[in-house]
Amino acid sequence: MLETNVTIVTGAGQGMGEVHARILAAKGASVILTDIDTAAGEAVAKDLRSSGHTATFIAQDVASEADWQKVIDQAMERHGKVDTLVNNAGILVRIPLEELSVEDFDRMHAVNVRGTFLGCKAVVPAMRVAGGGSIINISSMSGTVANMPGMTGYCSTKGAVRLLTKAVAVDLAKYNIRVNSVHPGTIATPMTKSYYEDPDMRKMILGPTLMERPGQPDEVSEVIAFLASKGSSYMTGAEIAVDGGYTAV
Ligand SMILES: NC(=O)c1ccc[n+]([C@@H]2O[C@H](COP(=O)([O-])OP(=O)(O)OC[C@H]3O[C@@H](n4cnc5c(N)ncnc54)[C@H](O)[C@@H]3O)[C@@H](O)[C@H]2O)c1
């Protein structure tokens, strides 16, 4: 399904990014994994290669413009083009507004928003070589609703990613580059692990989720794979909820 596809997945060392990389590779994509955690990212790429997939790891802080240039240069050297970029790396600091420091607010914006902006910008020449492409920005249901207390910083980043996606879609449509945002609900990953250990917290974080359970990372990866594929060829500027129905009510 994605046999000729060259895909970059950021934050692929663990959590959803790791599973996205594994599932896209299983569907035939050549995958470039990036992460700030070199050991974790290297291990996933090595494991994928040992199963016969084409996978490369590149150390990257997504908030750094120089690191983005390095990733795109290496991708071009190896593959000569990029078809798909999954801007997945993100951080969450959940703290009440009165205690949220400027440093934490700015760091979340640097990684979640600046990182996504830099990725969208840096990948354009490599996608133009491919004749077009698909950029998939990972927002959150927290980019649509303020789903629990202590989310001022995070919600403001994910809301920004939602509209940044649409604005970038407007600018890149002329190059046949599609740009969509994915809005996961409560997904069981290391980022949210501590929430599920406490029954009261689990109840609060699930809130009105119609399916009454956290999602699994692969349930998001399958949507990513669809957005990377030709099956979604008429979709751009769209926001796709993958939240078990949380935002439906
Ligand atoms: N888990 C959820 O319930 C949930 C829900 C909605 C959206 N999201 C979003 O999905 C994405 C993945 O979340 P997750 O739960 O898998 O998180 P996670 O914390 O399990 O994994 C995030 C990965 O990103 C990497 N990373 C962090 N900062 C980075 C940086 N500056 N540069 C490069 N890599 C960096 C980490 O090392 C880690 O490997 C994030 O954007 C997150 O905000 C998560």
Side-chain angles (χ1 to χ4, degrees):
M1 173 184 170
L2 296 173
E3 278 74 15
T4 59
N5 190 295
V6 178
T7 296
I8 299 172
V9 182
T10 68
Q14 67 167 37
M16 272 189 266
E18 173 184 349
V19 180
H20 300 338
R22 288 184 183 280
I23 288 187
L24 292 166
K27 291 179 190 293
S30 298
V31 187
I32 295 162
L33 303 91
T34 85
D35 206 290
I36 202 162
D37 181 340
T38 300
E42 294 265 26
V44 178
K46 194 172 164 202
D47 189 49
L48 280 171
R49 284 194 298 274
S50 71
S51 324
H53 299 298
T54 305
T56 315
F57 172 75
I58 304 171
Q60 178 193 30
D61 176 355
V62 293
S64 156
E65 190 168 22
D67 278 9
W68 268 109
Q69 203 47 59
K70 178 182 74 176
V71 169
I72 300 300
D73 287 349
Q74 289 190 26
M76 288 302 285
E77 237 167 69
R78 263 170 214 275
H79 302 284
K81 62 163 186 164
V82 176
D83 301 282
T84 303
L85 167 63
V86 186
N87 277 314
N88 165 78
I91 55 172
L92 161 64
V93 182
R94 188 172 162 261
I95 283 182
L97 171 66
E98 302 93 309
E99 294 158 39
L100 176 62
S101 67
V102 170
E103 288 73 23
D104 280 340
F105 181 87
D106 285 349
R107 185 64 193 151
M108 274 187 277
H109 276 263
V111 176
N112 300 359
V113 185
R114 191 206 304 161
T116 302
F117 152 69
L118 288 173
C120 292
K121 187 176 173 191
V123 81
V124 171
M127 284 190 173
R128 289 187 68 182
V129 171
S134 172
I135 299 176
I136 301 154
N137 292 333
I138 306 303
S139 176
S140 170
M141 69 177 173
S142 309
T144 314
V145 294
N147 54 305
M148 60 179 161
M151 297 286 273
T152 299
Y154 187 75
C155 283
S156 64
T157 68
K158 293 301 186 176
V161 169
R162 173 175 170 265
L163 217 57
L164 178 150
T165 299
K166 296 179 195 302
V168 174
V170 171
D171 279 6
L172 299 187
K174 61 177 180 275
Y175 302 132
N176 192 32
I177 298 174
R178 302 181 296 106
V179 194
N180 295 288
S181 59
V182 172
H183 299 251
T186 53
I187 310 296
T189 71
M191 181 186 267
T192 53
K193 189 170 175 279
S194 63
Y195 298 159
Y196 298 113
E197 282 160 3
D198 171 355
D200 288 341
M201 181 61 95
R202 181 186 159 93
K203 205 171 162 208
M204 186 189 74
I205 192 174
L206 281 178
T209 303
L210 299 180
M211 300 183 80
E212 296 182 346
R213 64 169 177 85
Q216 294 304 314
D218 64 305
E219 294 179 291
V220 181
S221 307
E222 292 294 344
V223 176
I224 307 277
F226 167 67
L227 288 173
S229 78
K230 290 200 168 31
S232 59
S233 54
Y234 198 51
M235 289 179 70
T236 196
E239 51 190 90
I240 296 112
V242 190
D243 63 6
Y246 189 108
T247 53
V249 288

